[in-house]
Amino acid sequence: MPATSLNRRVFLTSVASLPTLRLIAGQQPNFSAGVKVVNVLATVRDKQGQIVKNLKKEDFTLLEDGRPQVIRYFAQQSDLPLTLGLLVDTSYSERRMIPTEREASHKFLQQVLRPQQDKAFLIHFDRDVELLLDLTSSSEQLEKALDRLQVPKHQEPSRRPAVGGTAFYDSIYLAAGEILKTQPGRKALIMLTDGEDNASKISMEEAISAAARADTLGYAVRISDEEIGSMVGAGWHGPRGAIDRPDGKKILKRIAKETGGGYFEFGKKKSLEDIYSEIEEDLRNQYSLGYTSDKPDSKSGFRKIELKTANKGLVVQARNGYYV
């Protein structure tokens, strides 16, 4: 993959190959040759939303397609490498949010990424999807890439709505299917957007599937300029013409829930710095569980995972399944 930019022309080739993608369950760790381990990263919170850090393997119950599984691998805090993808919406409706996103994102990446161990990449999306910076652990390169975030000229008000658009789902697929699927360790996408999509070539379901196949957590941050959003909504167009405006909040909540990440809203009550602090706490306090499925791998497809604790007052945040 080039270190400069990966645009829609390359992306369209990737979309065409979507049905052929396969993720072997639990590529790590392997207890012995030929034994595949399904890995599940989980964050647990109490009713007040506080992280719970003192649970043991015996406190968890794990089901696959409704069948109890034996948890063979357990760690209270994983030291596996972390790969982060930052997806930033640069469509016209987000133009006043970009300076805030740029500053907070730089501080967050500086705090979270461990030198020589963790990596990050940056993608921005409007009607096109572009890789601004490929995988790197360099804080300096990440800062320079963040400085390049801006609304493209074709999204300016005088040119809307004819050539505007937001390809949010496409950006998730590009990040998960083309970058994260080959990376080891822990993987997460942080999505800064209002959640509205009107230009993608693939569906939300396909985007979520790509994240699941890449074993990637999705942290959705709804950051929206309601004043500009209402202006844009009046001329909402997609590839096939005028369409109904989607419910961005509902979309982002679903993506976060099904990938095992989290959903957050930027606003007067919660700054982007506050949200990033919560995401950082999540990433630093994950339980890592592993099991070998009692069902043979002869049949491909999606298998549902349900992770619970004996304490019904606790909320477990984990992915809801995997692909064989």
Side-chain angles (χ1 to χ4, degrees), residues 14-35:
S14 303
V15 172
S17 66
L18 179 62
T20 66
L21 290 177
R22 290 292 181 269
L23 176 66
I24 298 176
Q27 291 180 344
Q28 60 180 12
N30 285 336
F31 292 103
S32 61
V35 177

Side-chain angles (χ1 to χ4, degrees), residues 100-162:
T100 299
E101 295 170 343
R102 183 186 294 122
E103 182 179 355
S105 297
H106 176 59
K107 291 179 181 178
F108 170 73
L109 293 172
Q110 273 192 322
Q111 292 175 197
V112 171
L113 298 182
R114 296 165 295 179
Q116 310 305 318
Q117 188 169 359
D118 302 328
K119 295 178 289 186
F121 62 93
L122 176 62
I123 285 175
H124 83 98
F125 59 93
D126 38 80
R127 72 173 183 180
D128 294 314
V129 179
E130 182 182 15
L131 178 67
L132 284 179
L133 182 65
D134 206 343
L135 288 167
T136 182
S137 57
S138 168
S139 176
E140 182 179 355
Q141 289 185 33
L142 286 164
E143 183 175 12
K144 288 181 179 179
L146 286 166
D147 286 341
R148 292 170 56 199
L149 288 174
Q150 61 181 350
V151 173
K153 290 183 178 180
H154 66 251
Q155 290 272 0
E156 289 302 318
S158 61
R159 304 194 178 200
R160 289 197 55 85

Side-chain angles (χ1 to χ4, degrees), residues 51-76:
I51 293 280
V52 178
K53 306 177 183 180
N54 58 352
L55 297 179
K56 300 178 181 178
K57 180 173 70 173
E58 294 74 23
D59 295 317
F60 290 92
T61 300
L62 195 151
L63 306 176
E64 179 185 286
D65 288 340
R67 304 183 312 277
Q69 303 293 314
V70 177
I71 300 172
R72 298 183 57 189
Y73 169 80
F74 180 86
Q76 192 166 344

Side-chain angles (χ1 to χ4, degrees), residues 302-314:
F302 184 79
R303 297 183 183 179
K304 184 175 177 60
I305 293 175
E306 188 175 4
L307 186 63
K308 303 177 181 179
T309 66
N311 186 338
K312 294 183 179 180
L314 301 181

Side-chain angles (χ1 to χ4, degrees), residues 217-284:
L217 302 173
Y219 289 92
V221 181
R222 188 166 190 267
I223 179 165
S224 176
D225 187 331
E226 298 300 334
E227 182 180 338
I228 292 183
S230 62
M231 294 166 53
V232 174
W236 197 255
H237 281 59
R240 298 177 181 84
I243 58 175
D244 293 332
R245 189 174 180 182
D247 186 339
K249 180 185 293 189
K250 184 177 180 181
I251 288 168
L252 292 176
K253 283 186 174 181
R254 179 178 172 185
I255 292 172
K257 181 179 180 180
E258 295 194 19
T259 60
Y263 170 78
F264 307 88
E265 284 190 36
F266 166 83
K268 294 180 180 178
K269 294 182 179 180
K270 186 170 288 189
S271 69
L272 191 52
E273 287 81 1
D274 293 335
I275 292 171
Y276 270 144
S277 292
E278 291 187 37
I279 294 175
E280 181 181 1
E281 187 179 29
D282 260 27
L283 294 172
R284 293 191 188 281

